[in-house]
Short mmCIF file of all heavy atoms in Angstrom, two decimals:
data_model
loop_
_atom_site.label_atom_id
_atom_site.label_comp_id
_atom_site.label_asym_id
_atom_site.label_seq_id
_atom_site.Cartn_x
_atom_site.Cartn_y
_atom_site.Cartn_z
N LEU K 352 16.29 2.47 9.28
CA LEU K 352 17.20 2.67 10.42
C LEU K 352 16.46 2.30 11.69
O LEU K 352 15.55 3.00 12.13
CB LEU K 352 17.65 4.13 10.47
CG LEU K 352 18.31 4.65 9.19
CD1 LEU K 352 18.71 6.10 9.33
CD2 LEU K 352 19.53 3.79 8.81
N HIS K 353 16.86 1.17 12.27
CA HIS K 353 16.20 0.69 13.48
C HIS K 353 16.89 1.26 14.71
O HIS K 353 18.05 0.95 14.96
CB HIS K 353 16.26 -0.85 13.51
CG HIS K 353 15.42 -1.49 12.46
ND1 HIS K 353 14.23 -2.10 12.72
CD2 HIS K 353 15.60 -1.61 11.11
CE1 HIS K 353 13.72 -2.58 11.59
NE2 HIS K 353 14.54 -2.30 10.60
N ILE K 354 16.17 2.11 15.43
CA ILE K 354 16.74 2.71 16.63
C ILE K 354 16.03 2.18 17.88
O ILE K 354 16.65 1.80 18.85
CB ILE K 354 16.64 4.25 16.55
CG1 ILE K 354 17.48 4.75 15.36
CG2 ILE K 354 17.11 4.90 17.86
CD1 ILE K 354 17.25 6.19 14.98
N ARG K 379 19.80 0.09 2.58
CA ARG K 379 20.59 0.02 3.80
C ARG K 379 19.67 -0.34 4.95
O ARG K 379 18.63 0.29 5.14
CB ARG K 379 21.28 1.35 4.09
CG ARG K 379 22.12 1.33 5.37
CD ARG K 379 22.76 2.69 5.65
NE ARG K 379 23.71 3.06 4.61
CZ ARG K 379 25.00 2.68 4.60
NH1 ARG K 379 25.48 1.94 5.57
NH2 ARG K 379 25.79 3.06 3.63
N VAL K 380 20.06 -1.38 5.67
CA VAL K 380 19.31 -1.76 6.87
C VAL K 380 20.29 -1.65 8.02
O VAL K 380 21.34 -2.28 8.00
CB VAL K 380 18.76 -3.20 6.77
CG1 VAL K 380 18.10 -3.61 8.07
CG2 VAL K 380 17.77 -3.32 5.61
N ARG K 381 19.96 -0.78 8.99
CA ARG K 381 20.88 -0.64 10.12
C ARG K 381 20.15 -0.91 11.42
O ARG K 381 19.08 -0.36 11.67
CB ARG K 381 21.49 0.76 10.14
CG ARG K 381 22.75 0.80 11.01
CD ARG K 381 23.50 2.06 10.85
NE ARG K 381 22.80 3.15 11.54
CZ ARG K 381 23.02 4.43 11.28
NH1 ARG K 381 23.85 4.80 10.34
NH2 ARG K 381 22.38 5.36 11.96
N MET K 382 20.73 -1.79 12.22
CA MET K 382 20.18 -2.11 13.53
C MET K 382 21.09 -1.45 14.56
O MET K 382 22.23 -1.88 14.75
CB MET K 382 20.18 -3.63 13.76
CG MET K 382 19.42 -4.42 12.69
SD MET K 382 17.69 -3.97 12.68
CE MET K 382 16.98 -5.22 11.63
N ASN K 383 20.61 -0.40 15.20
CA ASN K 383 21.41 0.28 16.22
C ASN K 383 21.51 -0.56 17.49
O ASN K 383 20.68 -1.45 17.71
CB ASN K 383 20.79 1.64 16.53
CG ASN K 383 21.26 2.70 15.54
OD1 ASN K 383 21.73 2.36 14.45
ND2 ASN K 383 21.11 3.94 15.92
N PRO K 384 22.50 -0.23 18.35
CA PRO K 384 22.69 -1.05 19.55
C PRO K 384 21.47 -1.14 20.45
O PRO K 384 21.28 -2.14 21.15
CB PRO K 384 23.84 -0.33 20.28
CG PRO K 384 24.55 0.43 19.23
CD PRO K 384 23.55 0.79 18.19
N ALA K 385 20.58 -0.14 20.40
CA ALA K 385 19.40 -0.18 21.29
C ALA K 385 18.21 -0.90 20.65
O ALA K 385 17.18 -1.08 21.29
CB ALA K 385 18.99 1.25 21.67
N ALA K 386 18.37 -1.28 19.39
CA ALA K 386 17.22 -1.85 18.66
C ALA K 386 17.04 -3.32 19.00
O ALA K 386 17.06 -4.19 18.13
CB ALA K 386 17.41 -1.65 17.16
N GLU K 387 16.80 -3.57 20.27
CA GLU K 387 16.64 -4.95 20.73
C GLU K 387 15.43 -5.60 20.07
O GLU K 387 14.37 -4.97 19.98
CB GLU K 387 16.43 -4.94 22.23
CG GLU K 387 17.27 -5.94 22.97
CD GLU K 387 17.21 -5.67 24.45
OE1 GLU K 387 17.86 -4.71 24.90
OE2 GLU K 387 16.47 -6.40 25.11
N GLY K 388 15.59 -6.81 19.59
CA GLY K 388 14.45 -7.54 19.02
C GLY K 388 13.98 -6.99 17.69
O GLY K 388 12.89 -7.33 17.23
N ALA K 389 14.81 -6.16 17.05
CA ALA K 389 14.40 -5.59 15.77
C ALA K 389 14.46 -6.65 14.67
O ALA K 389 15.26 -7.59 14.75
CB ALA K 389 15.29 -4.41 15.41
N ILE K 412 23.93 -4.09 4.92
CA ILE K 412 23.30 -4.48 6.17
C ILE K 412 24.30 -4.26 7.30
O ILE K 412 25.43 -4.72 7.22
CB ILE K 412 22.88 -5.97 6.13
CG1 ILE K 412 21.84 -6.18 5.02
CG2 ILE K 412 22.32 -6.41 7.49
CD1 ILE K 412 21.59 -7.63 4.68
N GLU K 413 23.88 -3.50 8.33
CA GLU K 413 24.74 -3.32 9.50
C GLU K 413 23.92 -3.68 10.72
O GLU K 413 22.86 -3.10 10.93
CB GLU K 413 25.09 -1.84 9.71
CG GLU K 413 26.00 -1.21 8.73
CD GLU K 413 25.93 0.31 8.91
OE1 GLU K 413 26.27 0.79 10.01
OE2 GLU K 413 25.49 0.99 7.97
N SER K 414 24.41 -4.63 11.50
CA SER K 414 23.68 -4.96 12.70
C SER K 414 24.62 -4.83 13.89
O SER K 414 25.68 -5.43 13.92
CB SER K 414 23.13 -6.38 12.63
OG SER K 414 22.32 -6.61 13.75
N ARG K 415 24.24 -3.99 14.86
CA ARG K 415 25.11 -3.77 16.02
C ARG K 415 24.51 -4.38 17.27
O ARG K 415 24.85 -4.00 18.37
CB ARG K 415 25.34 -2.28 16.22
CG ARG K 415 25.97 -1.67 14.99
CD ARG K 415 26.58 -0.35 15.30
NE ARG K 415 26.94 0.32 14.06
CZ ARG K 415 26.96 1.60 13.89
NH1 ARG K 415 26.66 2.39 14.90
NH2 ARG K 415 27.29 2.14 12.74
N ILE K 416 23.52 -5.24 17.07
CA ILE K 416 22.93 -5.87 18.25
C ILE K 416 22.60 -7.31 17.90
O ILE K 416 21.96 -7.59 16.89
CB ILE K 416 21.68 -5.09 18.74
CG1 ILE K 416 20.99 -5.83 19.87
CG2 ILE K 416 20.68 -4.83 17.63
CD1 ILE K 416 20.29 -4.92 20.83
N PRO K 417 23.06 -8.25 18.73
CA PRO K 417 22.91 -9.67 18.37
C PRO K 417 21.44 -10.13 18.32
O PRO K 417 21.14 -11.07 17.58
CB PRO K 417 23.65 -10.41 19.49
CG PRO K 417 24.37 -9.39 20.28
CD PRO K 417 23.81 -8.05 19.97
N SER K 418 20.55 -9.48 19.04
CA SER K 418 19.17 -9.99 19.08
C SER K 418 18.37 -9.59 17.84
O SER K 418 17.24 -10.02 17.66
CB SER K 418 18.45 -9.50 20.34
OG SER K 418 18.24 -8.10 20.25
N ALA K 419 18.94 -8.75 16.98
CA ALA K 419 18.21 -8.32 15.78
C ALA K 419 18.27 -9.41 14.70
O ALA K 419 19.24 -10.17 14.63
CB ALA K 419 18.78 -7.03 15.24
N VAL K 420 17.23 -9.51 13.92
CA VAL K 420 17.18 -10.51 12.85
C VAL K 420 17.05 -9.80 11.51
O VAL K 420 16.16 -8.97 11.33
CB VAL K 420 15.97 -11.46 13.04
CG1 VAL K 420 15.90 -12.48 11.92
CG2 VAL K 420 16.02 -12.14 14.40
N VAL K 421 17.96 -10.10 10.61
CA VAL K 421 17.91 -9.48 9.29
C VAL K 421 17.88 -10.58 8.25
O VAL K 421 18.75 -11.47 8.25
CB VAL K 421 19.14 -8.57 9.05
CG1 VAL K 421 19.04 -7.89 7.70
CG2 VAL K 421 19.27 -7.55 10.15
#
Side-chain angles (χ1 to χ4, degrees):
Chain K
L352 304 179
H353 292 254
I354 297 168
R379 180 181 296 275
V380 174
R381 198 169 74 199
M382 303 297 191
N383 275 20
E387 227 169 284
I412 298 167
E413 290 165 62
S414 186
R415 301 197 191 150
I416 174 150
S418 69
V420 179
V421 183

